[in-house]
């Protein structure tokens, strides 16, 4: 998981003007922004947008769990804080532009994250689950029982009053996609910057051995709280995007315990301590139910019973895959991909 | 004042039911260091199996025995398919695996036996009787007696039988236990079987109160604060924790609830547990060795 960077390989004589990495990033960016030209509204709204947002939420949890080694089973709570903060900021401070609102909402979620991360200074492991599980239930209750948060709406739902940047309307599927992808690209860059920075390395040191980390002078308590804060910042923004970029209208129950588990699964499936792996995990979480639905149209699954049976089948498949992955591929799908790439590379090298 | 005591008493009885669930967790945690998230799913599975058998016309005792056997079979399968391939992995991985396991068990339970709410009548009337000036539900009293019997049986089994003693050996020092020839897989199978049967008993008591349905598996989430307060590795702790959670939750619901727009029981126990963690990380009766920073 934390293999040190290989010592710099001796450079080939013909060094291209910019590295393959840069090329890949540029190609990826162009591809990401060209997606609406290829995909229709259904693909955008039902598959691509949720996958990207859930992947972003996965990054949020992964920063905490994969890099700092702290467990949270209440990620959805911080998403709901982001969503409800965004709603109230847009409603009550209409002069603020959308990007600023998203950042403030993320910061509010970050503050909540730091508060619920406080117990991590004294306890480790899944005991910490109690604190984050507490956050999960507390905020679901808070947003359901105090209608102020949903502007006294009868149904306790929130929907974005406006979704625009510089008078550019973002309500269409393409608009929402650009909002989501632009935010996500920026946050991915931020995540990489953090992970590669001193802070990221200190997180990993704490994860691998906290006593050793404190011996070499890392301020463990501060770093843990920072991890909770940054993780919740990502989750908060992902929550806002989930509510308004994907669902359109949401209530507190859109961010229930099941959502928290889904994010946990994204991290496990995609790979602990990865950034792009989260999107693999998210694609899995989003696509499996859709594929099963399609499958049930082709194959007659009516012997299983009603529509609910399909949901149960989905649970069984999810659970089985989690267990199989933990046994066979503890580093997740991304390590599978990485090994594949390395195998290709070594083959290419040996053929030279 | 009698209202206060009635709330307190009914809270304590609810606490007994929490303890009943928590004991299943403690058993597995003691023997294998795993926080078994699937305990709730096992509870649902056991209760659903039992209720389905009863509805098919099977007599009570036979249904209980058959369901117990099903739970033993499940324990053996779990040990074989999940625990054995994951041995020597860190507790967090095992926790995740039980999370996956809970999805599988819940899925199978509802796929095989449907998602309807089943009514379960244990033949215990849920009527109020007056004890010492306050009204108490007869059902609560009998449920507590069942819990008491279960705990007593477990205590005797652990302290007097060869099996129980090997189990305690594993709990206190796994490596030493293995070196004197105790077979870990066998112990795991037994412990998961016992936890399965405890889940059955808890499922019956809870199920006859709430109806046997999906939400039963959520009851076990309450076991987490109970365990934190009581200590993960102590059965008396599970009981004390359960009583404390039950009582404070009931009182908070009555006295704090109206101040904050309604029931606080969804989250109160967790916040209480976090408070406990900060003051007494090992819980009331837990081992001192709990990881502290």
């Amino acid at each position: 998981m934390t293999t040190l960077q290989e010592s710099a390989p001796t450079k080939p004589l013909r060094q291209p003007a910019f590295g393959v990495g840069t090329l890949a990033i540029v190609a990826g960016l162009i591809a990401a922004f060209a997606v609406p030209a290829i995909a229709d509204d259904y693909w955008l709204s039902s598959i691509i947008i949720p996958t990207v947002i859930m992947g972003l939420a996965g990054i949020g949890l992964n920063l905490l769990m994969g890099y700092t080694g702290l467990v949270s089973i209440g990620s959805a709570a911080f998403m709901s804080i982001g969503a409800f903060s965004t709603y109230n900021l847009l409603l009550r401070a209409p002069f603020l532009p959308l990007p600023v609102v998203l950042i403030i909402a993320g910061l509010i979620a970050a503050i909540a994250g730091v508060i619920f991360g406080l117990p991590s200074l004294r306890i480790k492991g899944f005991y910490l689950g109690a604190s984050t599980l507490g956050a999960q239930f507390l905020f679901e209750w808070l947003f359901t029982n105090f209608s102020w948060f949903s502007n006294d709406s009868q149904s306790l739902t929130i929907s974005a009053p406006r979704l625009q940047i510089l008078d550019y309307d973002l309500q269409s599927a393409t608009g929402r996609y650009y909002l989501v992808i632009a935010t996500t690209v920026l946050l991915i860059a931020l995540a990489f910057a953090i992970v590669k920075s001193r802070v990221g390395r200190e997180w990993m040191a704490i994860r691998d051995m906290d006593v050793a980390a404190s011996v070499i002078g890392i301020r463990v308590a501060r770093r843990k709280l920072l991890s909770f804060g940054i993780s919740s910042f990502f989750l908060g923004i992902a929550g806002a995007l989930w509510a308004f970029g994907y669902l359109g209208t949401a209530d507190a129950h859109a961010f229930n315990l099941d959502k928290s588990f889904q994010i946990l699964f994204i991290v496990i499936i995609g790979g602990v301590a990865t950034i792009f792996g989260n999107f693999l995990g998210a694609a899995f979480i989003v696509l499996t139910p859709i594929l099963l639905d399609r499958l049930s149209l082709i194959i007659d699954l009516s012997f299983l019973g009603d529509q609910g049976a399909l949901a149960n089948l989905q649970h069984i498949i999810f659970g089985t895959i989690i267990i199989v992955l933990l046994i066979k591929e503890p580093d997740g799908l991304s390590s599978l991909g990485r090994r594949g790439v390395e195998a290709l590379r070594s083959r290419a090298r040996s053929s030279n | 004042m009698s209202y206060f005591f009635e709330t307190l008493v009914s809270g304590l009885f609810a606490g007994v039911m929490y303890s009943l669930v928590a004991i299943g967790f403690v058993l597995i945690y003691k023997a294998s260091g795993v926080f078994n998230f699937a305990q709730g799913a096992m509870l649902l599975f056991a209760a659903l199996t039992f209720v389905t058998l009863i509805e098919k016309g099977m007599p009570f005792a036979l249904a209980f025995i058959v369901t117990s056997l099903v739970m033993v079979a499940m324990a053996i399968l779990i040990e074989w398919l999940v625990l054995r391939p994951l041995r020597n992995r860190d507790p967090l991985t095992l926790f995740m695996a039980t999370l996956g396991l809970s999805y599988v068990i819940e899925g199978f339970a509802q796929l095989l036996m449907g998602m309807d709410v089943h009514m379960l009548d244990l033949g215990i009337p849920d009527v109020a009787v007056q004890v010492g000036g306050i009204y108490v539900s007869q059902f609560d009293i009998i449920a507590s007696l069942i819990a008491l019997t279960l705990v007593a049986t477990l205590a005797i089994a652990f302290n007097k039988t060869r099996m129980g003693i090997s189990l305690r050996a594993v709990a206190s020092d796994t490596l030493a236990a293995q070196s004197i020839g105790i077979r870990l897989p066998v112990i795991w199978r037994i412990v998961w079987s016992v936890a399965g049967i405890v889940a059955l008993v808890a499922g019956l008591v809870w199920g006859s109160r709430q109806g046997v349905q999906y939400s039963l598996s959520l009851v076990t989430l309450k076991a987490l604060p109970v365990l934190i307060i009581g200590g993960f590795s102590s059965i008396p702790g599970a009981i004390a924790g359960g009583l404390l959670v039950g009582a404070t939750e009931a009182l908070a619901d009555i006295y704090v609830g109206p101040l904050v727009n309604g029931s606080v029981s969804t989250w109160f126990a967790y916040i209480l547990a976090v408070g406990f963690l900060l003051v007494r990380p090992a819980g009331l009766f837990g081992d001192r060795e709990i990881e502290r920073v």
Side-chain angles (χ1 to χ4, degrees):
Chain A
M1 277 194 292
T2 48
T3 46
L4 288 167
Q5 288 290 314
E6 288 168 21
S7 53
T10 45
K11 282 179 183 171
L13 289 175
R14 284 181 294 113
Q15 175 79 356
F18 40 81
V20 184
T22 327
L23 204 67
I25 291 171
V26 172
L29 278 178
I30 292 170
F33 280 87
V35 161
I38 310 158
D40 58 16
D41 273 10
Y42 169 76
W43 268 82
L44 274 183
S45 307
S46 310
I47 296 173
I48 297 172
I49 291 178
T51 302
V52 173
I53 301 174
M54 287 304 277
L56 182 62
I59 293 178
L61 179 60
N62 222 330
L63 288 175
L64 183 70
M65 199 169 104
Y67 289 95
T68 325
L70 299 167
V71 196
S72 163
I73 36 183
S75 315
F78 303 109
M79 287 177 79
S80 70
I81 295 170
F84 278 85
S85 305
T86 306
Y87 173 75
N88 281 295
L89 285 165
L90 286 174
L91 186 80
R92 294 169 212 277
F95 48 88
L96 288 175
L98 188 58
V100 177
V101 165
L102 283 179
I103 291 170
I104 298 175
L107 290 175
I108 294 172
I111 292 167
V114 170
I115 292 170
F116 279 88
L118 282 173
S120 74
L121 305 186
R122 294 202 56 175
I123 43 175
K124 285 197 287 192
F126 43 66
Y127 301 90
L128 207 49
S131 169
T132 46
L133 203 57
Q136 175 67 53
F137 290 120
L138 180 64
F139 286 105
E140 212 176 316
W141 170 85
L142 190 72
F143 295 137
T144 315
N145 274 287
F146 291 86
S147 53
W148 180 85
F149 291 106
S150 47
N151 198 26
D152 298 316
S153 88
Q154 284 295 313
S155 52
L156 296 167
T157 53
I158 49 170
S159 41
R162 72 197 154 87
L163 225 50
Q164 59 183 41
I165 294 175
L166 300 173
D167 295 331
Y168 184 75
D169 188 31
L170 296 172
Q171 297 291 357
S172 69
T174 315
R176 284 181 288 122
Y177 172 76
Y178 279 125
L179 172 68
V180 167
I181 200 73
T183 316
T184 306
V185 165
L186 289 175
L187 286 175
I188 290 174
L190 178 64
F192 268 113
I194 293 169
V195 168
K196 304 269 181 218
S197 74
R198 186 189 175 95
V199 170
R201 287 197 300 274
E202 290 185 351
W203 282 351
M204 287 183 256
I206 293 168
R207 173 196 66 194
D208 293 340
M209 200 184 210
D210 53 356
V211 177
S214 78
V215 165
I216 60 169
I218 295 171
R219 282 171 294 191
V220 174
R222 281 193 194 190
R223 285 291 170 263
K224 279 186 174 175
L225 290 184
L226 185 67
S227 179
F228 264 102
I230 292 176
S231 160
S232 305
F233 177 79
F234 277 70
L235 284 166
I237 292 179
L241 293 176
W242 185 259
F244 308 123
Y246 171 56
L247 293 176
T249 302
D251 63 2
H253 302 300
F255 303 100
N256 58 11
L257 189 63
D258 235 18
K259 183 113 265 131
S260 292
F261 284 155
Q262 277 181 6
I263 300 168
L264 202 58
F265 288 161
I266 287 173
V267 172
I268 302 172
I269 295 171
V272 172
T274 60
I275 299 292
F276 284 116
N278 298 299
F279 294 97
L280 290 177
F284 182 85
I285 292 277
V286 173
L287 286 177
T288 310
I290 296 174
L291 286 178
L292 276 176
D293 267 347
R294 289 286 164 89
L295 199 67
S296 70
L297 291 179
I298 302 165
I299 313 166
D300 185 27
L301 288 174
S302 58
F303 66 91
L304 287 173
D306 48 4
Q307 194 59 31
L310 211 59
N312 288 320
L313 195 63
Q314 210 173 299
H315 274 182
I316 296 174
I317 293 173
F318 268 158
T320 310
I321 286 169
I322 298 292
I323 295 171
V324 170
L325 268 177
L326 286 171
I327 294 171
K328 298 281 180 202
E329 200 64 57
D331 295 340
L333 290 178
S334 66
S335 87
L336 205 67
R338 208 179 305 141
R339 276 212 309 276
V341 169
E342 259 155 39
L344 284 177
R345 252 190 216 157
S346 66
R347 186 173 296 172
R349 222 173 282 152
S350 63
S351 69
N352 276 344
Chain B
M1 205 55 196
S2 79
Y3 183 59
F4 172 83
F5 279 114
E6 262 164 37
T7 311
L8 182 68
V9 168
S10 81
L12 286 174
F13 281 122
V16 171
M17 313 251 281
Y18 288 146
S19 314
L20 213 49
V21 179
I23 288 169
F25 282 92
V26 171
L27 285 172
I28 290 176
Y29 186 80
K30 264 173 103 89
S32 48
V34 181
F35 179 79
N36 176 27
F37 196 86
Q39 188 72 23
M42 283 163 66
L43 192 149
L44 176 71
F45 192 92
L48 264 179
T49 310
F50 182 85
V51 131
T52 311
L53 290 176
I54 290 281
E55 281 170 3
K56 290 243 155 54
M58 204 179 266
F60 186 93
L62 189 60
F64 190 88
I65 292 167
V66 171
T67 313
S68 303
L69 289 177
V70 169
M71 296 315 286
V72 171
M74 184 191 275
I76 292 169
L77 274 178
I78 291 173
E79 191 276 326
W80 182 44
L81 294 173
V82 181
L83 296 178
R84 204 178 300 175
L86 283 173
R87 65 182 179 276
N88 297 334
R89 299 280 282 277
D90 59 310
L92 202 59
T93 308
L94 282 158
F95 165 69
M96 300 288 182
T98 62
L99 199 59
L101 193 60
S102 75
Y103 268 63
V104 175
I105 298 175
E106 267 167 32
F108 269 118
Q110 301 196 61
L111 196 62
L112 298 176
M113 292 169 279
M115 299 174 76
D116 306 328
V117 181
H118 298 267
M119 282 306 138
L120 175 62
D121 187 13
L122 294 179
I124 309 166
D126 199 353
V127 290
V129 287
Q130 204 169 12
V131 181
I134 52 173
Y135 284 97
V136 186
S137 159
Q138 197 180 335
F139 182 89
D140 283 339
I141 297 174
I142 293 176
S144 315
L145 288 178
I146 293 173
L148 214 66
T149 319
L150 188 73
V151 171
T153 318
L154 287 174
I156 293 169
F158 280 158
N159 291 312
K160 301 293 177 204
T161 66
R162 190 185 171 81
M163 202 61 79
I165 293 165
S166 358
L167 196 145
R168 284 168 56 209
V170 171
S172 81
D173 189 338
T174 313
L175 214 56
Q178 276 178 301
S179 72
I180 58 163
I182 293 174
R183 291 159 72 99
L184 216 46
V186 177
I187 294 292
W188 281 351
R189 263 176 245 153
I190 291 169
V191 167
W192 280 72
S193 303
V194 176
I197 293 165
V198 171
L200 170 61
V201 175
L204 293 187
V205 176
W206 275 100
S208 64
R209 242 305 149 68
Q210 299 191 337
V212 177
Q213 55 177 320
Y214 176 75
S215 67
L216 269 189
S217 63
L218 300 177
V219 164
T220 44
L221 288 175
K222 278 277 163 63
L224 186 63
V226 168
L227 291 169
I228 284 171
I229 291 169
F232 269 80
S233 48
S234 153
I235 288 182
I239 294 166
L243 293 177
L244 197 63
V245 166
T248 48
E249 195 177 80
L251 291 176
D253 232 11
I254 299 296
Y255 292 103
V256 184
L259 306 177
V260 289
N261 281 5
S263 172
V264 297
S265 60
T266 51
W267 53 268
F268 181 80
Y270 301 96
I271 305 303
L272 185 73
V274 171
F276 249 85
L277 274 176
L278 293 175
V279 181
R280 207 182 153 82
L284 288 173
F285 296 89
D287 301 333
R288 298 301 309 170
E289 62 185 69
I290 278 183
E291 286 184 291
R292 278 185 66 173
V293 183

